[in-house]
Amino acid sequence: MTILLLGANGQLGRELLRSLSAMGDVVAATRTGTLYDGRSCEAVDLDAPAVVSALLDRCQPGIVVNAAAYTAVDRAEEEPEAAFRVNAEAPGVMARWCGVRDVPFVHYSTDYVFGGQATTPYREDAPTAPLGVYGASKRDGENAVRAAGGRHLIFRTAWVHSAHGNNFLLTMLRLAARQEVLTVVCDQVGAPTPAALVADITARALQHPGRHAGTWHLASAGQTSWYGFAEAIFAEAKAIGLLAELPVVTPVTSSAFATAARRPAWSVLDTEKLQRDFNVQLPDWKEGMRHVLAELRRLAIQR
């Protein structure tokens, strides 16, 4: 079976290359036509949704997994058209192609579709209320996928991190290596989720006998603030030798950081439906963080 993976260079895409390889022949696609390790692959720019159909017609995949997205949250406020083309129009094109041919389609969404005002974990049927362009474009992408029908699987996730790419964990380690004092937001709450977990659950869901169609929340168990996440990162990194000294971390409120786009204050997702439908148990966020840091240590030793 041919599995078309879009966004193969992202932190989730790189993990999906691994997790999906046991299921069939994975055809990777990136914006540049080159993978992170220099290998050539299919080239597709989702900022031009019209070209997506041509790629699908050429590859004739048996499964399509879309891990590509416009993720520049603040820049989206200045480039709304681009955000909607990539996050809403292009997924709609893919979903319609898959729906007509009864091809399973996997799409990823985000906690940013919610307003962040809740005090209990968001269920899949909670009303959406995005605070900015990025969240609105992801919400419209979800709606486009659902409208196409077919065997679609939409996974909403949050606070994704890995040993590669751009994410909070890597940013904290980079800053801690050159600054003794850091300030980190303490009034935004979520569940840090490793990209490897999202990729592994995706593969499991695609192989599940029921192969449900619908929307699921996929995130680690537990919850913390960005400040709590940073403190845990530094403690574990120091324990395994990735950091020589612990920085002083000062908690501050979101108002201390002026950003073009507002962030949800509450990003905790209720994962009961996913665990029930696919018979999985989700690990605590600290366990996932430890695995990512261990991978970073392994990579550092190899250099």
Side-chain angles (χ1 to χ4, degrees):
M1 180 193 306
T2 297
I3 303 168
L4 177 61
L5 169 62
L6 296 98
N9 272 346
Q11 58 177 345
L12 176 55
R14 290 179 67 160
E15 294 292 347
L16 285 164
L17 281 171
R18 171 191 55 79
S19 69
L20 298 175
S21 62
M23 295 177 56
D25 178 23
V26 180
V27 176
T30 68
R31 185 176 56 82
T32 62
T34 304
L35 285 170
Y36 62 89
D37 58 5
R39 289 179 293 159
S40 296
C41 65
E42 293 286 345
V44 62
D45 187 352
L46 298 194
D47 197 31
V51 307
V52 176
S53 292
L55 173 65
L56 293 164
D57 288 339
R58 183 168 68 256
C59 295
Q60 289 295 311
I63 294 174
V64 177
V65 179
N66 178 36
Y70 184 109
T71 58
V73 175
D74 290 320
R75 195 167 71 235
E77 298 298 313
E78 301 174 358
E79 300 177 349
E81 295 85 359
F84 277 91
R85 281 194 299 270
V86 174
N87 290 343
E89 292 180 38
V93 170
M94 290 181 250
R96 288 189 291 274
W97 189 96
C98 290
V100 168
R101 295 160 180 81
D102 196 31
V103 170
F105 177 59
V106 178
H107 181 66
Y108 299 96
S109 192
T110 172
D111 58 298
Y112 276 66
V113 301
F114 298 116
Q117 302 304 309
T119 55
T120 58
Y122 281 109
R123 289 167 39 120
E124 287 82 356
D125 57 359
T128 57
L131 299 175
V133 170
Y134 169 69
S137 69
K138 294 298 288 184
R139 177 203 57 196
D140 285 8
E142 290 184 11
N143 291 337
V145 172
R146 295 189 193 102
R151 291 189 283 167
H152 63 272
L153 295 90
I154 300 171
F155 294 114
R156 288 185 186 135
T157 189
W159 293 28
V160 177
H161 60 285
S162 74
H164 310 281
N166 299 311
N167 58 69
F168 180 84
L169 182 146
L170 294 180
T171 297
M172 288 297 102
L173 290 177
R174 185 173 63 252
L175 291 176
R178 62 175 188 250
Q179 295 179 211
E180 295 181 355
V181 180
L182 300 173
T183 56
V184 181
V185 169
C186 64
D187 59 353
Q188 296 174 23
V189 178
T193 303
L197 175 65
V198 179
D200 290 342
I201 296 296
T202 297
R204 182 176 182 123
L206 283 169
Q207 296 175 85
H208 193 275
R211 267 198 185 174
H212 309 262
T215 302
W216 293 268
H217 288 170
L218 200 177
S220 297
Q223 62 190 61
T224 189
S225 66
W226 289 119
Y227 168 77
F229 189 21
E231 288 270 81
I233 291 167
F234 297 143
E236 180 66 14
K238 176 74 161 53
I240 65 175
L242 281 177
L243 275 181
E245 298 294 336
L246 289 174
V248 175
V249 186
T250 303
V252 296
T253 62
S254 301
S255 61
F257 291 94
T259 57
R262 292 171 60 197
R263 269 64 173 171
W266 180 262
S267 294
V268 183
L269 303 176
D270 186 322
T271 60
E272 181 181 349
K273 179 184 174 187
L274 178 125
Q275 295 186 76
R276 180 184 67 246
D277 286 354
F278 299 115
N279 191 29
V280 296
Q281 287 190 328
L282 297 169
D284 185 80
W285 66 268
K286 287 185 179 179
E287 181 179 337
M289 177 203 70
R290 286 192 288 267
H291 283 302
V292 172
L293 289 170
E295 173 69 3
L296 283 169
R297 183 176 184 274
R298 184 185 66 79
L299 293 172
I301 290 172
Q302 290 179 347
R303 294 192 183 104

